[in-house]
Amino acid sequence: MRKVICILCALVLLTGCVERKYIERLGIITVIGYDLLEEGFLEGTLIFFQFDPNANSVSQIITSRANSAKGIRQDANLKSSKQLVSGQLRLAVFGSKLAEKGVMRVTDTLARDAAVSDLLYMTIAEEDAKAILSSNKMEDAADIGNYLNSMIRKNIRNEVLPYSTLHQFQHDYYDLGRDPILPMLNLEDGKPVLRHLALMQDDRLVGKLPVKKGFYLKLIESRFEAGHLEVGLPREKFKEYFKSDRNHEDIDQMFVTFDEIKSKSKLELISPESLEFRVNITLEGRILEISDDLKIQDPKVVKLLEEEFASLIEKEIESVVEVFKENQVDPIGFGQLYNSKRPLKEKGEWREMIPDISVDAQVKTRIVRHGIIK
Amino acid sequence: MKIQLQVPVGIQIQAFYVFFLIHTTQVGTGIMGISTHIYSTAKQDAWISILVAGVWMSISVFCMGKILQQYESADLPGIQVDIFGKFVGKFLGTILALYFFGLLISVLLNYIEVIQVFLFPTVPTWLVCLFLLSLVVYAVLGGVRVIVGVSFLFFVGTVWLLIVLYKPISLMEWNHFLPVMGNSYSDIASGAFKTTYSLVGFEVLLFIYPYIQNKRKAHSAAQLAALGTTLLTLAVVVITIGYFSGPQLERLIWPTLSMFKIIQFSFAERFDIIAVGLWMMIVLPNMITAMWLCTHTFKRVYGLRQKQVLYVAAILLFFGTIVFQDRLQINYFTDKLATVGFYIAFVYPIVLWPIVLLKNYIRRKRGTSQ
């Protein structure tokens, strides 16, 4: 018995040997924004939670300047009574000026610090990161960080945004023949929204792609489990199958919305010499909305819809690839495929070859259901 | 010193437990960073390197089994004295004991560094060292049966960590393994050589043998343990190579631990912290066995009392860890030790077996001629 008491006492006392962190004295950083100032200085905007019962608000925002990312934290510590810690960092926002120069400069510390989670979301601001984090339109979230984080997480789960965690970014950055792709935050009436995806050469921002086009990127690169898509199909071709003419004649497109899209894709490198790729995509989904009154129970209509849908996707894929070629970026990983046949020596080698690639898309679509009405 | 070691039935163990003893002695700090080491030479063919090393290990275990069969109930220090005579035999025994001592320092240093990087950046080395050593000393004082029991319990207590790897597996990219055989044979061979650091530890069979009750089954249990470790290493390396991209993997110090960073549960947001803490259960049996091997060998070679050797070794270890402070020193020491370990575990048994056969052949011939 005496032994047990001794051991218990020792256990209680020994816990004091390691460093203590009282939650009331901590400022738990959840979001960090980085901007590049003209003199080469970094400006950091930190949002942190505080659990002090005496405090008025749950979170605080601090802006500080330094030459390095960790310097920002040290400088921020001079402006707060809380000990700032980064174990709960959920989101990093990079200002566009910094992103154009390259984000690796600050990403290095995020990767090096074992306290920072690999599941941190990386985003790029279309203008200044500070402006986005200072916004006070956050719906009913606890603070702006919470709002941004839930918005991005939700859209990744809904398969609208690419999986853009710190791990994924580093993976794509270091992999030969592949570039990262990150979501971009923009202010619309003072509220942060997602409009574009950032096209990057290694860690440098070089162009933008509308989020909607991101669908085709994901279609080639991986698979959908429950995606959705709105398309405009040529109205002319369906005219004979209309039950009534409920829409204005002057629109030449029929808009169809698909959801619960399931897809599979197989990307192949046909010839490494001429850089010809082929992607076979099979896709099935259900129709949720049609702008015209179509005789959807007619098998011929469904067939026509499927064909038109497929050819539209093929065209869109071509145009997206064209954008990639113009910007010399490869977020899909064509280069990875090339690398597995002809090992590349360095990243730049593939960058030179990107404008010469050609992608032949072959799409098969199937419409499974069309809602609860005919 | 006696060549045969007679062990009372009361402190003997079942051959079944040899599996856990060998497996937990092999798996430890090595597996935390193994992928980076192998990948740095063998690249996407790292898995071939591991298979090569695994087969080699199996051959070495086979030789150990054959050596032990020549004697009824002997261990390596005894056999060495029998084969090479008193002077050389004792010298070799001392080298072995010192090697195990070095292994202990290396495991301690590597794990303490992980604790400092992941969990408590400000905790002093000597403090963690004190905690771990007190546990090691306590377990070794309990004797062979306690050591084997600890191995068994901690194996069961940590093997479930494999299940949570489903998340990194789901993020794997198989084209990281292409092209197959894209590297030269010498690269793959040197990858196999680098694998050996995480595989050493199976030489414990040569020491534990007298303590085994059903000695016939010992060899197959040891082979099974070797196979288990090979498969585990293979799984870890394949997952890390698929999960990280090549140059990213080369930058990591402990890819296996970094991989746990992606795992998240609603009740445990940062699973990597838990994994690093749990790693102590993987490392402890490792250190306990190494400590037992070190002290037991000194006892066998010089007839010292194991308890006294244990206390002296613990004090020396405590001061030994203070000498090494930074990553580069630890790396250098670990590399050198890995080379020694390679010769002891992978080369020595294969060389020793023919010598033992020859010696016994000559002995029998003399016996019949007299």
Side-chain angles (χ1 to χ4, degrees):
Chain A
M1 195 59 209
R2 195 188 268 169
K3 235 182 192 175
V4 174
I5 292 170
C6 276
I7 290 169
L8 280 177
C9 287
L11 283 178
V12 171
L13 291 175
L14 284 174
T15 50
C17 290
V18 297
E19 59 179 312
R20 284 137 292 173
K21 287 183 174 173
Y22 301 107
I23 198 158
E24 292 88 354
R25 294 185 199 162
L26 294 182
I28 294 163
I29 308 174
T30 53
V31 182
I32 194 157
Y34 297 104
D35 283 305
L36 191 65
L37 300 177
E38 272 167 23
E39 317 87 68
F41 268 95
L42 281 173
E43 186 179 54
T45 312
L46 290 80
I47 298 177
F48 58 87
F49 268 114
Q50 47 192 12
F51 293 93
D52 195 340
N54 300 323
N56 291 325
S57 58
V58 287
S59 76
Q60 262 197 55
I61 181 163
I62 281 185
T63 308
S64 59
R65 289 175 184 195
N67 277 317
S68 70
K70 275 288 170 285
I72 286 174
R73 216 173 87 184
Q74 275 151 16
D75 187 41
N77 264 320
L78 298 175
K79 297 182 179 175
S80 170
S81 64
K82 305 276 189 276
Q83 177 67 37
L84 298 178
V85 290
S86 49
Q88 280 289 330
L89 198 57
R90 305 292 177 88
L91 182 71
V93 186
F94 301 95
S96 61
K97 273 199 201 108
L98 175 64
E100 277 158 19
K101 287 261 156 50
V103 299
M104 261 334 258
R105 175 178 170 188
V106 280
T107 310
D108 178 74
T109 176
L110 298 175
R112 196 173 292 279
D113 191 346
V116 175
S117 167
D118 266 2
L119 290 163
L120 157 96
Y121 294 124
M122 308 253 296
T123 53
I124 289 178
E126 291 196 31
E127 275 154 30
D128 284 349
K130 189 182 173 185
I132 284 173
L133 298 184
S134 319
S135 161
N136 52 10
K137 294 196 175 171
M138 54 187 93
E139 298 175 348
D140 47 6
D143 68 345
I144 186 76
N146 205 327
Y147 163 72
L148 292 173
N149 188 39
S150 342
M151 175 167 73
I152 289 166
R153 190 176 52 213
K154 182 198 77 183
N155 283 305
I156 289 175
R157 289 218 176 129
N158 289 353
E159 305 183 82
V160 178
L161 292 182
Y163 191 66
S164 60
T165 56
L166 176 61
H167 166 71
Q168 194 64 39
F169 176 83
Q170 288 190 76
H171 176 277
D172 296 348
Y173 172 78
Y174 286 115
D175 214 348
L176 286 171
R178 188 172 182 141
D179 288 314
I181 188 157
L182 297 176
M184 290 188 99
L185 289 164
N186 197 14
L187 286 176
E188 234 173 58
D189 298 330
K191 186 180 181 187
V193 292
L194 293 158
R195 279 282 174 268
H196 290 99
L197 298 175
L199 297 176
M200 314 191 71
Q201 285 187 356
D202 300 333
D203 63 336
R204 279 168 294 116
L205 173 71
V206 290
K208 293 177 191 178
L209 187 75
V211 168
K212 276 180 191 165
K213 300 268 178 186
F215 177 88
Y216 303 101
L217 190 152
K218 187 171 162 116
L219 198 62
I220 308 174
E221 190 227 334
S222 58
R223 60 207 185 95
F224 276 98
E225 273 159 31
H228 52 88
L229 179 70
E230 178 203 275
V231 291
L233 300 175
R235 199 159 180 257
E236 265 325 289
K237 292 192 176 166
F238 293 93
K239 226 160 199 176
E240 52 180 310
Y241 303 110
F242 287 169
K243 276 192 268 185
S244 64
D245 204 14
R246 71 180 174 196
N247 266 5
H248 307 293
E249 277 296 332
D250 52 325
I251 305 173
D252 57 352
Q253 278 187 316
M254 179 177 78
F255 295 101
V256 184
T257 304
F258 294 89
D259 88 335
E260 293 196 354
I261 292 174
K262 271 189 207 163
S263 78
K264 265 184 203 158
S265 85
K266 197 175 170 223
L267 186 60
E268 289 169 293
L269 175 58
I270 298 173
S271 96
E273 285 77 28
S274 56
L275 297 172
E276 271 177 68
F277 291 88
R278 182 168 60 207
V279 57
N280 279 306
I281 296 169
T282 51
L283 174 147
E284 55 178 58
R286 68 168 192 184
I287 291 177
L288 207 63
E289 183 185 328
I290 310 175
S291 62
D292 276 292
D293 199 5
L294 204 60
K295 292 177 191 162
I296 192 90
Q297 66 272 43
D298 187 346
K300 264 190 276 175
V301 174
V302 175
K303 187 125 201 292
L304 186 65
L305 262 175
E306 286 175 350
E307 277 166 13
E308 285 299 318
F309 188 32
S311 74
L312 178 115
I313 290 175
E314 281 168 16
K315 241 181 270 163
E316 287 287 352
I317 286 176
E318 258 169 53
S319 82
V320 169
V321 170
E322 211 48 53
V323 174
F324 295 159
K325 279 155 76 171
E326 269 168 34
N327 288 297
Q328 284 188 300
V329 295
D330 184 3
I332 288 172
F334 293 112
Q336 279 182 314
L337 215 60
Y338 182 84
N339 182 43
S340 62
K341 294 242 168 85
R342 302 274 164 92
L344 297 160
K345 283 186 190 67
E346 46 152 19
K347 294 206 78 163
E349 205 182 329
W350 177 244
R351 177 112 29 244
E352 298 302 311
M353 285 149 85
I354 292 173
D356 302 326
I357 63 170
S358 66
V359 181
D360 174 28
Q362 283 170 351
V363 184
K364 269 192 203 131
T365 60
R366 204 163 76 85
I367 292 165
V368 191
R369 274 182 288 276
H370 41 74
I372 54 171
I373 54 169
K374 283 184 179 171
Chain B
M1 97 185 240
K2 281 185 207 155
I3 289 149
Q4 307 278 355
L5 188 65
Q6 298 306 334
V7 177
V9 182
I11 55 168
Q12 282 182 352
I13 54 163
Q14 292 286 322
F16 165 70
Y17 290 106
V18 171
F19 171 84
F20 299 102
L21 185 69
I22 293 180
H23 182 77
T24 52
T25 312
Q26 286 182 291
V27 179
T29 50
I31 205 161
M32 298 189 299
I34 181 76
S35 322
T36 306
H37 291 294
I38 310 178
Y39 189 84
S40 66
T41 52
K43 304 285 176 204
Q44 72 272 30
D45 297 320
W47 59 277
I48 304 175
S49 297
I50 295 168
L51 290 180
V52 171
V55 169
W56 192 348
M57 171 165 64
S58 181
I59 294 169
S60 180
V61 172
F62 176 78
C63 293
M64 287 181 183
K66 285 291 169 200
I67 294 168
L68 291 166
Q69 255 179 27
Q70 296 290 318
Y71 298 85
E72 192 193 325
S73 177
D75 58 359
L76 189 59
I79 293 171
Q80 281 175 339
V81 170
D82 181 47
I83 301 291
F84 302 113
K86 223 168 198 176
F87 184 72
V88 180
K90 282 194 175 185
F91 174 70
L92 290 172
T94 314
I95 289 181
L96 282 172
L98 289 176
Y99 162 68
F100 291 127
F101 186 78
L103 203 65
L104 247 170
I105 293 191
S106 135
V107 172
L108 256 175
L109 284 172
N110 276 297
Y111 184 61
I112 291 172
E113 206 205 348
V114 168
I115 291 182
Q116 285 168 336
V117 169
F118 276 85
L119 300 179
F120 304 112
T122 54
V123 72
T125 307
W126 64 266
L127 188 71
V128 189
C129 184
L130 189 70
F131 291 170
L132 290 171
L133 276 178
S134 56
L135 282 171
V136 169
V137 169
Y138 181 57
V140 174
L141 283 176
V144 171
R145 285 172 74 98
V146 170
I147 293 164
V148 172
V150 167
S151 310
F152 174 72
L153 276 180
F154 284 0
F155 173 79
V156 177
T158 50
V159 74
W160 60 271
L161 274 177
L162 280 175
I163 301 169
V164 298
L165 291 181
Y166 75 92
K167 181 75 186 172
I169 290 174
S170 70
L171 293 168
M172 277 173 72
E173 282 193 42
W174 292 101
N175 61 24
H176 289 172
F177 295 95
L178 296 172
V180 176
M181 290 299 289
N183 297 285
S184 65
Y185 290 111
S186 64
D187 285 341
I188 292 172
S190 90
F193 173 71
K194 288 190 171 167
T195 315
T196 55
Y197 172 59
S198 81
L199 297 182
V200 293
F202 57 90
E203 59 274 26
V204 63
L205 177 68
L206 289 170
F207 295 84
I208 202 74
Y209 192 72
Y211 292 87
I212 301 168
Q213 214 167 45
N214 37 353
K215 294 195 167 54
R216 280 188 182 181
K217 287 185 183 159
H219 181 233
S220 54
Q223 284 289 4
L224 223 74
L227 180 69
T229 311
T230 311
L231 291 180
L232 182 75
T233 314
L234 188 66
V236 166
V237 169
V238 166
I239 296 170
T240 40
I241 291 178
Y243 173 68
F244 297 109
S245 55
Q248 187 188 8
L249 183 60
E250 279 177 283
R251 285 167 54 94
L252 292 167
I253 301 176
W254 304 289
T256 313
L257 296 178
S258 294
M259 195 161 63
F260 282 102
K261 288 185 100 177
I262 203 85
I263 299 156
Q264 192 179 36
F265 297 111
S266 43
F267 55 89
E269 245 182 30
R270 297 292 305 277
F271 193 79
D272 47 326
I273 306 286
I274 297 178
V276 169
L278 270 176
W279 217 266
M280 194 188 80
M281 284 171 63
I282 296 174
V283 167
L284 255 186
N286 221 294
M287 293 195 291
I288 292 170
T289 323
M291 184 60 121
W292 180 79
L293 286 171
C294 172
T295 52
H296 179 75
T297 311
F298 268 123
K299 175 187 143 189
R300 287 279 289 147
V301 174
Y302 295 107
L304 300 165
R305 289 191 58 196
Q306 195 166 359
K307 235 184 207 177
Q308 287 162 348
V309 181
L310 178 65
Y311 292 136
V312 173
I315 292 166
L316 285 177
L317 269 173
F318 182 70
F319 290 109
T321 45
I322 298 172
V323 176
F324 295 95
Q325 287 298 339
D326 59 60
R327 177 81 243 160
L328 286 173
Q329 282 178 333
I330 299 176
N331 267 352
Y332 180 77
F333 181 68
T334 309
D335 275 357
K336 288 282 162 272
L337 198 76
T339 318
V340 178
F342 169 76
Y343 287 110
I344 289 178
F346 285 82
V347 179
Y348 188 42
I350 298 172
V351 176
L352 191 62
W353 182 37
I355 300 175
V356 171
L357 280 184
L358 193 72
K359 181 105 183 180
N360 281 353
Y361 176 74
I362 293 168
R363 210 178 271 164
R364 239 177 289 138
K365 222 174 178 188
R366 272 193 200 150
T368 47
S369 66
Q370 275 172 3

